[in-house]
Amino acid sequence: MEKNVLITGATAGIGLATARIFAQHGHNLVLTGRRQDRLEKIRDQLDVGEQVDIGILRFDVRDSHACEEALGLLKDKNFHVDILINNAGLAKGYDAIHEGKWEDWNQMIDTNIKGLLYMTRLVSEGMVNRGSGHIINVCSIAGKEVYPKGNVYCATKHAVDALTRATRLDLYEHGIKVSQVSPGHVEETEFASVRFDGDEEKAAIYTDFNPLTARDVADTIYYIATRPHHVNIQDVVLFGAQQANGNFISRSGRLFD
Ligand code: NDP
Ligand code: 8X3
């Protein structure tokens, strides 16, 4: 049955790939992000290709009032979110703790933790009233392990991991599933470019191995979202075959191109 799906951070990477899969399967979408031009372009592309309703909402998940306003607009239109995909997030900087930058730390904490919390709070209230819903958080291997210079990003994703588990405890008796995906490195995203502030040389971290693609993660999210009513997949940890864990990558070339 078709669902109403809200995806945060749908202008690029994993969020965009996820939007494509849900659209291909006939689900109605609300796509969000900060870049209006991207949102419009993606809506137009998906509208042409797929017969689905696609709404776009431009806002910054760090702004609680903007999140409230966006959800208010959906409420006015009687649009109930069946599936919330909390995907918007980023790593900013790659510094040892004694060299970290306040603004990088604030941006990661405000986006990855507080933004996810605002959206969860606002959407889950309606889900509880209706007695159904599914929240899928995009965590990371950085939510399970730490690596050098990953300090604050890893801390934010550990917080996501804790919030996924804690949210499930609060919502499972209301008929709401709470799940997450926890990928290792993922290409076809802007992740590395954002982390290294657009320095493409530093961001070229996938040249000597095949990481996951955004599509791989999107497939997993779609699988989680489409299990029968009585099944909740709590967490999927996934890597490209050349990555063993958060710290070990076989940089032996792109074997799978
Ligand atoms: P991208 O940079 O390609 O996509 C990030 C998305 O988040 C964009 O659509 C961006 O949209 C949105 N976003 C960022 N900040 C905000 C904000 N303040 N308000 C609203 N939207 C925002 O990266 P990925 O696709 O890789 O990242 C998606 C998620 O996956 C993140 O949570 C990331 O931590 C996680 N992840 C990524 C991995 C990887 O290796 N790539 C591995 C594991 C997890 P816009 O700029 O338009 O606002
Ligand atoms: C992104 C994967 O390993 O760069 O969450 O932290 S990693």
Side-chain angles (χ1 to χ4, degrees):
M1 205 179 76
E2 86 190 18
K3 295 271 169 71
N4 294 337
V5 185
L6 190 157
I7 305 173
T8 66
T11 56
I14 294 168
L16 172 56
T18 305
R20 287 201 174 110
I21 294 191
F22 277 90
Q24 281 159 9
H25 287 87
H27 299 284
N28 302 317
L29 295 174
V30 174
L31 308 179
T32 83
R34 292 165 300 176
R35 286 170 290 181
Q36 180 72 17
D37 55 333
R38 285 282 190 101
L39 288 170
E40 287 175 9
K41 203 168 147 199
I42 292 162
R43 178 192 54 197
D44 294 347
Q45 281 172 357
L46 294 180
D47 256 352
V48 171
E50 323 292 341
Q51 299 297 312
V52 285
D53 285 342
I54 299 173
I56 55 173
L57 287 171
R58 192 196 72 80
F59 63 94
D60 189 322
V61 294
R62 290 172 293 177
D63 180 344
S64 59
H65 298 296
C67 294
E68 277 174 341
E69 208 175 306
L71 267 297
L73 287 171
L74 294 181
K75 205 172 175 189
D76 291 346
K77 292 192 169 153
N78 231 2
F79 183 97
H80 303 303
V81 178
D82 299 312
I83 302 173
L84 167 65
I85 301 174
N86 275 319
N87 164 74
L90 77 171
K92 199 78 191 159
Y94 189 68
D95 300 303
I97 198 82
H98 62 289
E99 292 169 338
K101 299 176 188 63
W102 302 146
E103 66 263 33
D104 290 347
W105 293 3
N106 287 334
Q107 189 172 358
M108 289 187 277
I109 290 167
D110 290 350
T111 309
N112 300 358
I113 305 176
K114 290 164 79 178
L116 176 140
L117 270 174
Y118 299 147
M119 293 304 291
T120 301
R121 168 69 181 86
L122 291 164
V123 173
S124 62
E125 199 173 7
M127 288 179 169
V128 167
N129 290 337
R130 291 189 298 282
S132 70
H134 197 165
I135 298 171
I136 303 175
N137 292 334
V138 179
C139 187
S140 167
I141 188 54
K144 314 274 182 190
E145 298 177 31
V146 291
Y147 52 83
K149 301 184 178 177
N151 42 63
V152 175
Y153 178 66
C154 293
T156 66
K157 289 297 181 178
H158 275 66
V160 171
D161 186 61
L163 284 170
T164 300
R165 288 180 284 128
T167 303
R168 187 161 51 242
L169 288 180
D170 292 341
L171 298 182
Y172 82 104
E173 287 180 308
H174 295 277
I176 299 163
K177 298 184 194 183
V178 182
S179 310
Q180 76 179 8
V181 283
S182 305
H185 282 292
V186 185
E187 65 181 348
E188 298 173 355
T189 71
E190 297 175 354
F191 182 85
S193 173
V194 169
R195 175 169 231 168
F196 294 107
D197 248 335
D199 182 332
E200 295 308 328
E201 217 169 292
K202 284 189 186 159
I205 59 174
Y206 313 121
T207 52
D208 50 7
F209 75 109
N210 282 98
L212 297 165
T213 65
R215 168 77 197 216
D216 296 325
V217 182
D219 278 338
T220 306
I221 292 171
Y222 188 75
Y223 181 79
I224 290 172
T226 51
R227 291 312 83 209
H229 286 304
H230 67 287
V231 178
N232 180 41
I233 296 182
Q234 298 198 345
D235 197 351
V236 176
V237 181
L238 67 161
F239 295 95
Q242 288 172 280
Q243 182 172 8
N245 65 17
N247 285 292
F248 285 85
I249 297 171
S250 169
R251 294 188 175 275
S252 47
R254 291 188 57 101
L255 305 180
F256 305 106
D257 278 349

